[in-house]
Amino acid sequence: RKDAGQTVRRGEIILQLDNDRLRTSLVEALADVELREFEYAQSMELVRQEAAAEQELRNAKYELARARAKLQDIQSRLEDLAVRAPFSGHMIQSLTELGEWVGQGDGVARLIATDTIRVYSNVPERFVDLLHRGDEVTVFIEALGTDSLSARIVAILAEGFPESHTFPVIVEALNPDGRIRSNMASRTRFKVRQPQSALLVHKDAIVNSVGGTVVYVANGEVVAMRPVKTGMAYQGLVAVEGDLQPGDLVVVRGNERLRDGQAVRIIRKQQ
């Protein structure tokens, strides 16, 4: 049996159970297989000498197969008495004593893995909708000083706490050297992106000239060239920053040949 504080590898036996009835059944099953093998060999010899019918050989063969199947089942059940570690980690607590009866489904040990850690943070509800699975976060472990860890959000729980109006957010980080231990205090820094409004223009209004990126705004019968800085694109529209106002008419056809202050005639307006 493995004791608390010991390191275990995946598949290693952490507790060996015993079952006297099963071991007695094993002795009986071994003897039965030995007997059936003798009877099968004897039947084969009698059939070869034409001193027995084929049916007797078939019956002996069946009884041998049945005995072997029963033996295999008992051996498999005995192997299951060895409780093996489902993953590599550290033994935290043994929940059984020597000679204690263990029922099916009972816990026998507490085992934790520290190669990857999870941090649970309660985030105010007004920020939850701004977080997404896969977002990068930074975790600070108070006991380790100023060292920080890069982590990612792996889950945002759908049910929160009504008293505090917070929702549990789970982040995960690697811990290859095992310095971080279970239940250490931590702080989590989330990168929350606040919603921002943006001015959008049609992608055809963007002109990449020698002097930079510009759009042409129709002001009466002349156009004015306005330098802009482009941002993200969405469904044929592009976010821009510059000397533009909502409602300005920008040229989307023939703007590659325009010059600042050139006279134009508006044929059609599009919203």
Side-chain angles (χ1 to χ4, degrees), residues 64-110:
L64 175 58
R66 180 195 57 77
R68 285 175 173 173
K70 181 179 179 181
L71 174 62
Q72 185 176 3
D73 175 63
I74 294 174
Q75 289 174 332
S76 177
R77 291 163 63 187
L78 281 171
E79 290 179 1
D80 290 341
L81 293 178
V83 181
R84 300 180 181 274
F87 51 82
S88 298
H90 301 275
M91 190 79 169
I92 299 301
Q93 182 183 10
S94 177
L95 304 178
T96 61
E97 297 293 338
L98 186 62
E100 181 179 350
W101 175 266
V102 177
Q104 185 175 3
D106 291 348
V108 296
R110 288 187 60 227

